[in-house]
Every structure is written in structure tokens, then in C-alpha cells.
Amino acid sequence: MPSSRLVLTVLVAGPLACDPGPGADAPADIAAPNALDAEVDLPEAPIDLGEAIEIDLGDLGFTPLSLELGDFDGDGAIDLLITGVDGSVVTSATLRGLGDGTFEAPFDNGMSGCSAYPVVGRLSDDLRDDVVIAGCGTQFLTVLAADADGVFSRWSTWPRVTGTGPRSVVVQDFEGDGDHDLIALTVGTGLNARASLQLFESNGGTGFWGGATEDLGPVAQSGFDPNRLVAGDLDGDGVLDPILTDQGHDVARLFGGPTGFGFARELGVGLDVWSSLVADLDGDGAAEIIATSDSEAAAQVLLNDGGGDFEPGDVLPLAHGPYDADVADIDGDGFDDLVTVDDSERRVRWLRGDGAGGLGDPQERALAGGAIRVHAADLDGDGFDDLVAATFSVGSVSVLLSGG
């Protein structure tokens, strides 16, 4: 894969000439568009994505492996964080967003560590996003805080915790106090390996309380060996609930509460699951779970009854195997869509949501190459979701801007 020259692809957007029908993504804090008392300011015409514009990023000097988004300099605009390796050394670069869907040239942000796959979240008490990476040696995790220039340095208020590196990390407000907390999924090694969740509660954005461990039990006994962790409000109580994915096997959910988490319950997905997402697809305040399968080129919605019990829907065939996926309101109608990319196909595709938990009416746009990562965010400040895809196979990043 070439590492000497990268290209950024931008798709400029405009309104559709015809009405494609319902479907797309609504953030969790927006009133349900299918509720009788909801008032949603929707565009007069559906939103479309335009043709591609290529922007030369120059020489990064390293092989890119991951793409994340965040406001790392605190100016209110989304920036792009590209992390990779130069030989065996982890290195990174930031493209500062200008708030209109364009970006400045990449600069070295000073990030270093033992992982090229950071997790982004606002952990300190400023207006800038920070990153969490796996620690070196016996150090469990490392938190790097961004300064006003978007340069990262180690955050000294992170408690020193020793142990094996986590498999997956989520940065969200699990306490509901307005500060972001951190939960890490860990699985031990050997015949007696146990899975656990470690929670680090934010101390008002100035540091963390020591980690508390929630034991999930022995992997061999349960038969559930989780790889990935996401979180959402599954029972409508306003408290985030963890969702665990055992790749190739199943998805399990735990209910969050004031003193910890309940027992894990497998949900019985009907495909060879690769990853899971959470989104309130029917607007009832309780999130659905969307399972995707890269090997089977399929997706399945697990419909939530509003209280955290799930009914698996039909397995939906996809036009490609989704290496990565996200949810976003692509056409601005207030409903969540499922957005997918594949590392072997030059397309980004999405299935429009119908506001009742269904997905259909597939759409697509061309990319410069296959993509290993896709994110949804408002890059140009128009109030609608845009997309960013890591098309590293051809040395590029692709930005797709929505229009109104």
C-alpha cells in the first residue's frame, strides 16, 4: 500500500430531484420523528451527495491504519485524526477542520504510544477531545490530552492501573452527570480466562476515580468470548447499557444501573456477526441493535420492545461485506440509516431507515478505493450528517458532504 502520497476525496452535495421516501438517521437527543407530538425541522427536499473532489494530502511519512474524528483544538469544528506506523513506531497526524467541510494540511500531533488504534472522547474539563490508547508494557491504558493547538500529551491525572491491554474501550457518560467516563472490556488468557468490564468514573473532568471491576465470568464456562464493546440506552431509563459482541458468535447486552451492571444475556443473532451498532431506529427512546456480518455480506436489526427485550428481524443481504459501519441521517428526513463500507469495494452504501426499525431502499456513492473505516459527523455546520471513509487502500481519505 503506498504511504508516500495520500488523497482526500470530497463529495459535494445538493437536493434530490425526486422524493426517495422515508429513511435516515436521527441523533438520540432529537425528538422521535414518528412520534405524534414530535416537532422536527426537516428539510423541504431530501438531501443528496454530489460528485467527488480530490484533495492531495501530501506525504504523511507513515502507513495509515486508523481514522477517527474529534474536535482536538476546541474551535468547534471536526478534525480528522489519522494514526499508523512508521516501521514499528506508532505515529499520527491531524487534519484541522475549518468548519465548512474542508481541512488544513496534516501536521504531526505528537501522539505516541503502543497502539495505532485510539479511542476519542472528551475526558478533561476543557472543550477539546482527547484520546485513549492501550498502554505500554504492564500499563493498562494511556490517556493523551489535546492542547489548544491540537497537540497531544500524557494526562497526568489518569490513575496508573496495571494489567493486560483491553480488547475494546468506550468513552461515554455512564453516570449521567455530564462528564465522560471510560469503560474497558478485558479478557484474560489461559484456560481459566475471565471476561470483565473496568469502569473509570470521571471526577468532574479533572481526573478519574480508581477503576471498579465488573466480573463477567469465565469464558470457557459461558462460551462467550467478547471482542467488541459499544453502549446505548436499551431500556429507556436514561442510563447507558453495555453491548458485547463475540465476533462470529453472538451479541449480549447488560443493563446499566446506579451500582453497576446486570447479568449478560445473549440475544441470538442470525448471522456470523462482525460488529454491532446501537441506534433508536423507531423513536421510542430505547435503542435497537444492528448486527453486521462482513463474511456473509448481511445485516440484522434486533428490534427493542422498549424495555430491553429484543426480537431479531430478518437477515438483510447487502451488496458488499461491511468491514465497517455507522448510522447517520443521510437524506435529512430524521430517521437513522445504516452506512457501510468494504475494504475490497470502491463504494459507500447505505440502507434508508423507515422510522419503525426497518431498513431498505439502498443507495450508494463511488469512492476512490475500498474503505476500512466510516464515520458520520456534521463536518460543515449545516446541521446534517456527513461521512468520512478511510480509503487507505489507495492512500486516501474520502469525505462526503450532505447538502440542504
Side-chain angles (χ1 to χ4, degrees):
M1 178 176 62
S3 60
S4 60
R5 182 177 180 274
L6 292 182
V7 174
L8 177 70
T9 302
V10 179
L11 298 186
V12 181
L16 280 172
C18 58
D19 181 3
D25 158 52
D29 57 349
I30 293 180
N34 59 333
L36 294 178
D37 59 350
E39 294 182 5
V40 180
D41 185 16
L42 299 179
E44 294 182 1
I47 296 170
D48 197 9
L49 301 175
E51 298 299 324
I53 301 172
E54 293 192 10
I55 302 173
D56 190 349
L57 297 182
D59 183 8
L60 283 182
F62 61 89
T63 301
L65 297 176
S66 69
L67 171 68
E68 301 297 335
L69 309 186
D71 181 5
F72 303 110
D73 54 7
D75 65 353
I78 297 295
D79 310 309
L80 307 184
L81 174 66
I82 299 175
T83 305
V85 292
D86 180 9
S88 60
V89 178
V90 174
T91 187
S92 183
T94 298
L95 285 70
R96 186 178 284 111
L98 300 179
D100 59 359
T102 64
F103 299 87
E104 293 182 353
F107 67 90
D108 184 351
N109 55 38
M111 177 182 155
S112 63
C114 293
S115 172
Y117 299 94
V119 175
V120 173
R122 192 158 299 179
L123 296 172
S124 57
D125 59 357
D126 55 34
L127 298 178
R128 299 183 292 270
D129 285 317
D130 312 300
V131 299
V132 182
I133 56 175
C136 300
T138 60
Q139 186 175 358
F140 186 62
L141 288 171
T142 298
V143 174
L144 302 174
D147 64 18
D149 295 324
V151 176
F152 296 109
S153 59
R154 185 165 301 200
W155 197 28
S156 60
T157 52
W158 173 252
R160 182 168 182 82
V161 180
T162 60
T164 58
R167 287 189 176 182
S168 188
V169 173
V170 170
V171 176
Q172 286 180 260
D173 182 9
F174 284 87
E175 298 173 283
D177 61 357
D179 299 317
H180 280 177
D181 311 300
L182 187 150
I183 287 188
L185 165 67
T186 62
V187 180
T189 59
L191 296 177
N192 298 318
R194 303 181 74 89
S196 64
L197 295 176
Q198 287 197 255
L199 171 63
F200 300 89
E201 298 179 32
S202 175
N203 183 12
T206 62
F208 287 89
W209 301 109
T213 300
E214 186 86 17
D215 184 29
L216 302 178
V219 171
Q221 180 176 331
S222 68
F224 191 83
D225 189 4
N227 310 92
R228 295 188 178 187
L229 169 68
V230 294
D233 184 1
L234 301 181
D235 52 2
D237 63 354
V239 178
L240 292 175
D241 309 301
I243 298 100
L244 304 173
T245 299
D246 181 355
Q247 291 176 322
H249 178 202
D250 205 349
V251 175
R253 63 106 172 105
L254 296 81
F255 286 141
T259 59
F261 305 114
F263 291 108
R265 175 184 174 187
E266 292 187 53
L267 300 179
V269 298
L271 42 69
D272 182 11
V273 62
W274 169 252
S275 67
S276 300
L277 303 96
V278 287
D280 185 5
L281 297 179
D282 56 8
D284 66 352
E288 273 68 45
I289 298 174
I290 306 121
T292 66
S293 173
D294 183 42
S295 62
E296 296 181 6
Q300 185 179 33
V301 175
L302 281 69
L303 296 170
N304 193 336
D305 68 355
D309 287 329
F310 291 87
E311 179 67 30
D314 294 336
V315 174
L316 306 173
L318 302 177
H320 63 195
Y323 191 88
D324 193 39
D326 204 350
V327 288
D329 189 357
I330 299 302
D331 58 5
D333 66 355
F335 303 139
D336 278 335
D337 303 327
L338 174 64
V339 183
T340 62
V341 293
D342 182 33
D343 59 342
S344 63
E345 188 188 42
R346 299 158 60 97
R347 294 283 188 276
V348 57
R349 302 179 185 270
W350 63 95
L351 298 178
R352 287 197 170 105
D354 60 9
L359 297 170
D361 193 14
Q363 303 289 318
E364 66 179 61
R365 288 292 179 272
L367 295 175
I372 61 171
R373 199 81 167 98
V374 64
H375 293 281
D378 182 6
L379 303 177
D380 53 9
D382 65 355
F384 301 113
D385 286 323
D386 309 300
L387 298 178
V388 184
T391 46
F392 293 152
S393 61
V394 292
S396 73
V397 172
S398 298
V399 176
L400 295 80
L401 298 178
S402 63

